[in-house]
Each structure stands twice: as structure tokens, then as C-alpha cells.
Amino acid sequence: MPSAAPPFLIIGNPGNRRVTLFQEALVRAGLPPAHVVAWETVARAPDTLLELPDTERIVRIDAAGEDAAVERAFLQRGFTDALGAGCDTVAPEQLDALPDEHGRVLCPRQHHLGFLRVLEDLSDRFAQRPRWRVLSSPRAIADLFDKRITSRRYASLGIPVPPFLDVAPGTTPEALRQALREASFREAFVKLSCGSSASCLAVYRPGLAQGSLLTSLHRGATGWFNSLKVRRVTDAREVDAVLSFLLREGSQVEEARPKARLGGDLFDCRVLTVRGEPVFTVVRQSRLPITNLHLGGYRGDLDAFHAAVPPAELEAAMESCRAVARAHDCLHVGIDLMFEDFFHGHRVLEANAFGDLLPGLTRDGLSVYDWEIREALR
């Protein structure tokens, strides 16, 4: 790599494995370590960015999760916008008194609104630094964090997505059941529109009484929590409690289409595009329709995947991934892709701004971050 390459700047959480792995990739490329500005700093004092020298830089915006201080900062920024929205809220003066409870889902809509405010701050500061080249624009990241925006955009572009319903925040579980009956959805994903990593998601099957659902959500003494175990809920009151929470916070509701199988298990894929091209693919398999690796799914065999998917259908799916990438101003996009039962088509489930944490994956001797650095310097 040329020594004259512009230095990297990372907006991230110092010490987080994402930042650490990216720094290690810079070392392998013979480049100096990136300057890191913490998300908490950006959230509370965005003008800190303008104190940096106005010289050429390559800016990587990384994930903001896994940091309690950042979560509190976003909640504080989102409080005013969340008032009157019908979602759960926590006042800024209460935040310091909240215990750190692993897995707790605290006011996700308020948190998301605060994140959007911080992204707006980033856009404003970047506009004052025209010599900085931002690899993923804050506007694109904001769009990618709203499943309702992306699914409708992809559908308008002719990209196959699961059929979805327009469900207003605060819709009741009974109104949802009626809408599902009218749409002839036998089973539906009810996803928090701003969620990620299967956080705040339920696979809902209407039926007798309230029906049943699969979810990793459970309600504890101090609120809602995500666990690492998917459970089936059949108790009518608990089914409606889960649905009410998801609908109150704003949800994407889409038909759960039967997925294709590999070796008897259901599967879908995470396809990472870099500079518009599908480069890395991870096959995710499970006995359940929720295939996330941290929820009991496992990495499938890529050779078996390529042997099973008809070549024409595989190329059509990769072209859909290219179309998704073109829809966003991002160096990389992580795309969740499913093939329908017996490979009779494919669907883009969603796309992710920070879907590139794929440790151990290589192509042509390069890790994911090695590849992204090479493409960023082109």
C-alpha cells in the first residue's frame, strides 16, 4: 500500500473488537493506525471532529453498540423526539440511576431517534470537512437502520423482498391479527424496524386465540431483555405482551416465506458487498427460521451451498445484492438473503450498515477488513 495514502479516521468504540480488528488490518497493509473518535464523544460533543486538522482523511463509521455509555448518550439525545411518539421513554435525569443489566432492551425507539440525531451531527461536520472521504454516509446508515424504509425502497427497485404490511406504530395485536388474515399471511416476522442481530424480533403464527410465536425476547422484573435462546411462546397474554411491545416501538411486519434447506436444516445467507460487488458469503443454518449464529444457528458449508443452488438462481440473487448495494452510499453493505423452498426464487430480507464483522473469513488471502481497506484506497 502506498505510504502517501490518506490516514484513516474511525468513528467507533475504542477497545471494541471491531476497531481492534480494523487496526490490525491497517498494520498488515503497512499503514499507520487510524485515529479513533469515540461514539460517546461524537454524541455529546460533535464539534470535537472539527478540532482535527483539515487534511485529507478516509473516514470509517463503525458500529456503536456494546457500550453502555454510548447507549445512555443516544437515549439522552432521543428523549425530546420520543415524547408523544407512543413509545417507551426514559428521562435523561434517570439515566445515571439505571443499573447496567446485560441484555436489557431499553426504550429502543428513543435510542434510535437519538442515534439519528447523532448521524445528523456527523453529516453537518463532514460537510465542513470536504477533504474527508466518508466510506459510508450518515444518511445511508440512517436508512439502513430502518427496515421499513429499505424494504419499500428495494421493492420499488424490483428487488425481491418478502411481502410486507404497512403497520402504524401503536397498532394493537388484534388489529395485527386482522391485517394478517386479510393478507393471508400464515406466519409473519414482526421485527423492530430499527433492530439488528435478531434483537426484538418475533416469528408470529396467528391461530386459535392469540396464536404462538418464536422470539429471544423475555420480560424480566425491570423490563424487556434479549437472551441467547429462542423460545416458543404460547400463553395468550405473553404473546400479546411481546407483540404490543414490538408494535409500540415501531415494527416491520413481513410474511415469513418458507426457506430452502441444506442438509435438512433451514438456511439463509449473509452476503457482504464491497464497492458494489458480492465478495463474502456466510451460510447460516438452523432448525428454526431464525438463523442468527448467536441464537443457535451455525455456519454452513459454502461448497455445499454452491452445489445446491441452481447457477441461474445464484446469479439472480447476487444481482439483487448488487442492486441493494447500488441503493446506498456505502463502501460495504451486509445483506441478509434467503432462497425460497426448493430454490424457487430468492428474497432480500434486509441490509445492514455494519454487517461486516465476519472474523475468520478470507478470500484470496485477505480478511474482510483487509479487502475493505484495499478497496477504500482505490
Side-chain angles (χ1 to χ4, degrees):
M1 296 292 179
S3 59
F8 278 77
L9 167 66
I10 297 177
I11 311 295
N13 292 330
N16 184 276
R17 56 180 175 161
R18 290 174 176 269
V19 172
T20 299
L21 290 171
F22 196 83
Q23 296 280 40
E24 292 172 355
L26 288 172
V27 171
R28 286 194 297 273
L31 295 169
H35 181 80
V36 181
V37 178
W39 272 111
E40 185 182 10
T41 299
V42 171
R44 301 190 187 280
D47 282 343
T48 300
L49 289 170
L50 301 181
E51 297 171 5
L52 297 175
D54 185 12
T55 56
E56 284 190 69
R57 292 179 184 271
I58 299 175
V59 182
R60 173 182 170 85
I61 304 175
D62 217 326
E66 302 178 353
D67 190 298
V70 175
E71 180 181 21
R72 283 170 165 77
F74 287 177
L75 286 166
Q76 184 172 4
R77 292 294 305 276
F79 177 66
T80 301
D81 291 338
L83 288 177
C87 59
D88 292 350
T89 58
V90 56
E93 61 270 17
Q94 298 174 309
L95 290 172
D96 289 339
L98 291 174
D100 288 331
E101 296 179 282
H102 182 69
R104 183 172 179 183
V105 181
L106 183 62
C107 304
R109 176 58 50 187
Q110 178 180 341
H111 181 278
H112 178 64
L113 291 169
F115 180 45
L116 294 182
R117 285 289 184 185
V118 177
L119 289 174
E120 290 174 0
D121 289 342
L122 283 176
S123 290
D124 178 70
R125 274 56 179 189
F126 292 159
Q128 299 177 61
R129 288 291 183 265
R131 300 178 70 186
W132 294 7
R133 181 156 59 87
V134 182
L135 299 178
S136 296
S137 77
R139 179 68 263 170
I141 292 171
D143 288 348
L144 284 163
F145 265 84
D146 194 325
K147 296 173 176 60
R148 296 168 300 186
I149 290 174
T150 53
S151 67
R152 285 148 184 81
R153 179 180 297 175
Y154 303 156
S156 73
L157 294 171
I159 301 168
V161 297
F164 53 81
L165 300 179
D166 290 319
V167 178
T171 296
T172 65
E174 185 53 44
L176 173 65
R177 282 187 279 275
Q178 179 61 32
L180 293 174
R181 286 192 290 267
E182 292 173 357
S184 300
F185 286 8
R186 295 183 57 192
E187 192 170 64
F189 278 93
V190 183
K191 310 175 182 179
L192 187 69
S193 60
C194 59
S196 60
S197 302
S199 169
C200 298
L201 173 151
V203 183
Y204 178 52
R205 181 182 286 272
L208 297 175
Q210 273 73 11
S212 64
L213 54 81
L214 293 173
T215 186
S216 61
L217 276 173
H218 68 93
R219 187 159 52 176
T222 58
W224 289 96
F225 291 80
N226 271 310
S227 75
L228 295 180
K229 184 177 182 180
V230 176
R231 64 194 183 101
R232 183 175 295 278
V233 180
T234 56
D235 178 79
R237 287 177 298 180
E238 193 171 3
V239 166
D240 272 9
V242 172
L243 292 176
S244 293
F245 170 68
L246 294 175
L247 293 167
R248 183 170 65 247
E249 298 295 322
S251 288
Q252 163 77 354
V253 178
E254 60 192 33
E255 185 179 16
R257 309 282 294 193
K259 293 180 178 179
R261 294 177 180 269
L262 279 178
D265 284 343
L266 300 169
F267 85 96
D268 59 24
C269 301
R270 165 65 56 84
V271 178
L272 182 71
T273 63
V274 183
R275 201 176 284 279
E277 278 298 313
V279 180
F280 295 92
T281 299
V282 174
V283 179
R284 308 182 304 187
Q285 290 188 247
S286 177
R287 293 179 296 103
L288 302 174
I290 299 174
T291 60
N292 297 71
L293 301 181
H294 66 288
L295 294 176
Y298 62 94
R299 282 194 184 186
D301 183 77
L302 198 57
D303 290 336
F305 163 75
H306 283 119
V309 184
E313 186 53 46
L314 179 61
E315 179 51 36
M318 293 303 103
E319 186 54 40
S320 290
C321 291
R322 293 184 185 98
V324 168
R326 289 194 297 268
H328 302 287
D329 181 17
C330 293
L331 176 72
H332 61 82
V333 180
I335 300 163
D336 291 348
L337 173 77
M338 65 162 279
F339 292 87
E340 300 207 62
D341 208 8
F342 303 107
F343 300 100
H344 293 158
H346 67 275
R347 307 270 173 168
V348 169
L349 300 174
E350 58 188 68
N352 307 271
F354 305 130
D356 61 339
L357 181 62
L358 303 171
L361 211 58
T362 61
R363 178 171 175 174
D364 298 339
L366 299 177
S367 74
V368 170
Y369 290 162
D370 294 336
W371 196 287
E372 289 178 356
I373 289 168
R374 187 188 69 180
E375 293 303 302
L377 293 173
R378 282 178 51 191

